[in-house]
Amino acid sequence: MLTGENGIISQAQNAKEATAISQAREKLELVFENAKIKKHTDLQYNEEEYLDNMMKEEITNIEIKGDIVIVDGFVFEIDRSVPKIGQYLGKEKDTVFPQIGTTVTLAEDKKTATINITAKEEKNGISKIEIIQYGQVIETYECGNSKEQITKDFIAKQNGIYTIKVYAGIALSEKVKVAGIIANIEYSPNGDEIYKKQHQVKIVAKGTEDNIKNIKYQWLNTTVEPEANSFTITCNNGETLIKNEVTGIYYLWTLIETESGENYITRSEPFYFDNKMPTATLTSAPVSENEFKLTAKASDVESGIERYEFYVGGVLKETVTTNEQTATYNFARGSMGEEECYIKVFDIAGNMEQISTSARTKMYTWEMWSVDFDVSYSESGWETCPDVTLSTISNNPHIICKDEPHLRSDTGKGWEYGGGPAYSGGTLSAKISATEGWGSRREILCIRFR
């Protein structure tokens, strides 16, 4: 059959489409592999605009709808946090996208803003709507797969970018910027995206001391607003707060309790902390009789690698300043032997990891091998020893002569070593000469090999 689902034409079309999908996926994968490197080496990297620009620069036929990417007419879900490709969702012409509308209205007192959200998808219906900030879900509205238009109002208490994610047949997201909210607390600085071991923040409460009863605070790694009763640490208006000994992205949450009983909860923008040592390994490999190579590998998810320090015998020998995940150093000694070595790997925030290893050069064991041979000679004349095949001396295919071969007479007569050794085709040959007498005698060629 030429037609039908199993027909030849249909099979050819399916194969062609599968190839096109694979090619579209490969385009995304190439961008994401490069993005994974940039994530740890470029301080400007972020999961939003930076990643979007990378995709647009590298892929010609692309459309980005939040966490949905359309390449060459094929729809893919993406995970920006890695980044990586998620589920393949189908062809663009067959995909039903939910309709999303948003408006932002600032309150008269400028302490809050209302984000009005409308969403509709008539084929599959809307199952839920999430409000996301800094990658964390701060509000969820269940919609029960409604095919009617959904309208929701979210009260924003913080300036910044909010992601509205609507779940239907597929999940589609839209970003909304809220600006103009005047916070009850002024943070200085208000967030810092540079990874540090410690951050200092000065807080100033808006209003007068007369109507402020208490100011309380806590550091949390979430944008979900905490309950008022979870605040236990108090501080003074204008105080500088110091935070350290944590790793990750944290927010300074504050609670103002007024004399009239009102509570105002607000938070800062994110602060990036790194108090975690890099992960590192150190290996060694012999290079020659008097040299070995040290290879250090390290990674740091937060601030990134800053430098490597190589120590041999307790002495700093080399510093490699790089953000690469691998660094090497070759050390030459005066002779064969072993050294105790270690590295110190520093990240940009100043954390350090130390790893040790024993490193050695190529080590050889020297042995004496006696090889018998018969030789005939004339007095004061040179004769050539029969060739000695090295494989008969040792199974090592890389035999190297350490000392010059010498001859030992089994009769105690005097002999001279007359030249060589000559190596050819895996054999050794040498010459000997009689200093007295003449005739034929068995001799022993003594050679030291490794």
Side-chain angles (χ1 to χ4, degrees):
M1 294 179 63
L2 296 178
T3 59
E5 291 185 2
N6 299 318
I8 297 174
I9 295 176
S10 178
Q11 291 177 10
Q13 290 174 340
N14 292 339
K16 184 178 180 180
E17 181 177 304
T19 299
I21 295 171
S22 178
Q23 291 172 342
R25 179 183 292 274
E26 287 177 3
K27 292 178 183 179
L28 271 176
E29 287 175 343
L30 287 174
V31 175
F32 288 169
E33 286 303 314
N34 189 27
K36 289 175 184 176
I37 298 173
K38 295 291 186 182
K39 183 177 181 179
H40 299 292
T41 59
D42 191 340
L43 295 177
Q44 303 302 315
Y45 179 88
N46 62 65
E47 298 173 1
E48 305 299 335
E49 293 83 4
Y50 191 107
L51 184 57
D52 286 354
N53 289 334
M54 287 188 68
M55 289 189 284
K56 292 175 182 177
E57 289 173 3
E58 299 295 329
I59 303 174
T60 302
N61 187 13
I62 187 171
E63 183 179 357
I64 303 172
K65 297 175 176 286
D67 294 335
I68 301 296
V69 176
I70 306 170
V71 179
D72 298 337
F74 301 104
V75 185
F76 299 90
E77 188 178 44
I78 65 172
D79 182 348
R80 292 176 175 271
S81 63
V82 179
K84 67 178 182 180
I85 302 173
Q87 184 180 0
Y88 168 64
L89 301 175
K91 292 185 286 188
E92 180 182 13
K93 65 178 183 179
D94 300 328
T95 304
V96 179
F97 297 96
Q99 300 173 8
I100 306 174
T102 57
T103 58
V104 178
T105 304
L106 190 64
E108 289 186 7
D109 61 4
K110 297 184 178 181
K111 291 185 177 181
T112 61
T114 300
I115 302 176
N116 177 260
I117 305 162
T118 59
K120 187 176 183 180
E121 206 269 58
E122 295 180 341
K123 180 179 179 181
N124 303 286
I126 305 296
S127 60
K128 67 178 178 179
I129 300 174
E130 291 179 342
I131 314 298
I132 303 169
Q133 195 174 33
Y134 294 112
Q136 296 181 335
V137 178
I138 57 178
E139 184 65 88
T140 301
Y141 301 106
E142 299 293 341
C143 303
N145 296 319
S146 173
K147 296 181 181 180
E148 302 297 325
Q149 178 170 294
I150 303 294
T151 301
K152 298 291 181 182
D153 287 329
F154 174 75
I155 306 301
K157 299 179 182 179
Q158 303 285 151
N159 293 317
I161 303 296
Y162 292 80
T163 299
I164 314 301
K165 191 167 187 178
V166 176
Y167 292 82
I170 65 171
L172 190 65
S173 59
E174 182 174 305
K175 289 180 171 51
V176 179
K177 183 177 181 179
V178 174
I181 294 177
I182 300 175
N184 294 298
I185 292 284
E186 181 180 277
Y187 304 92
S188 181
N190 189 8
D192 190 343
E193 294 186 1
I194 298 177
Y195 278 99
K196 299 177 181 178
K197 294 174 70 66
Q198 174 180 287
H199 286 284
Q200 299 184 15
V201 188
K202 182 179 181 180
I203 62 170
V204 176
K206 301 295 182 67
T208 64
E209 294 288 346
D210 294 337
N211 62 1
I212 296 177
K213 181 180 180 181
N214 288 308
I215 301 176
K216 297 180 180 179
Y217 73 94
Q218 57 181 315
W219 289 89
L220 298 174
N221 60 351
T222 178
T223 55
V224 179
E225 183 175 307
E227 297 293 332
N229 60 11
S230 68
F231 291 84
T232 58
I233 306 173
T234 60
C235 64
N236 298 318
N237 195 4
E239 185 175 344
T240 296
L241 306 177
I242 300 174
K243 182 64 175 177
N244 52 28
E245 298 183 350
V246 295
T247 296
I249 300 174
Y250 280 75
Y251 306 85
L252 177 56
W253 286 91
T254 53
L255 165 67
I256 294 179
E257 297 175 338
T258 66
E259 295 291 350
S260 62
E262 294 291 333
N263 291 333
Y264 299 97
I265 298 175
T266 187
R267 65 161 175 80
S268 69
E269 293 301 302
F271 288 88
Y272 288 58
F273 291 87
D274 184 4
N275 285 281
K276 184 179 179 181
M277 296 184 298
T279 300
T281 61
L282 178 63
T283 58
S284 68
V287 176
S288 65
E289 293 181 49
N290 61 355
E291 185 177 357
F292 56 77
K293 179 180 181 179
L294 296 173
T295 300
K297 294 186 178 182
S299 62
D300 188 88
V301 176
E302 286 77 25
S303 59
I305 300 300
E306 193 269 336
R307 73 180 187 276
Y308 300 80
E309 292 182 355
F310 291 87
Y311 291 79
V312 179
V315 178
L316 175 62
K317 296 294 184 180
E318 181 78 352
T319 298
V320 180
T321 301
T322 179
N323 55 18
E324 297 295 329
Q325 295 189 0
T326 301
T328 61
Y329 170 61
N330 283 40
F331 177 72
R333 327 177 63 249
S335 60
M336 286 190 302
E338 184 174 310
E339 298 279 1
E340 292 301 317
C341 307
Y342 62 88
I343 56 162
K344 291 182 179 180
V345 183
F346 295 83
D347 64 19
I348 295 174
N351 302 294
M352 185 272 289
E353 171 71 304
Q354 180 171 317
I355 301 292
S356 302
T357 191
S358 294
R360 62 173 60 186
T361 63
K362 286 187 176 180
M363 307 293 284
Y364 299 109
T365 301
W366 298 95
E367 296 182 5
M368 180 72 75
W369 296 84
S370 297
V371 181
D372 293 345
F373 62 92
D374 293 318
V375 62
S376 298
Y377 61 90
S378 300
E379 188 172 358
S380 299
W382 292 105
E383 298 292 343
T384 300
C385 301
D387 288 346
V388 180
T389 303
L390 296 187
S391 61
T392 64
I393 300 175
S394 172
N395 291 326
N396 188 340
H398 304 291
I399 296 173
I400 302 172
C401 186
K402 174 178 171 65
D403 299 323
E404 286 189 350
H406 62 278
L407 298 172
R408 184 178 73 242
S409 169
D410 60 1
T411 61
K413 297 292 185 181
W415 296 83
E416 292 180 358
Y417 171 61
Y423 294 94
S424 177
T427 64
L428 167 71
S429 60
K431 290 183 178 181
I432 61 172
S433 174
T435 56
E436 60 178 282
W438 60 275
S440 178
R441 189 176 289 117
R442 172 167 291 230
E443 302 300 332
I444 299 176
L445 177 63
C446 298
I447 315 171
R448 295 183 72 193
F449 291 97
R450 69 181 176 195

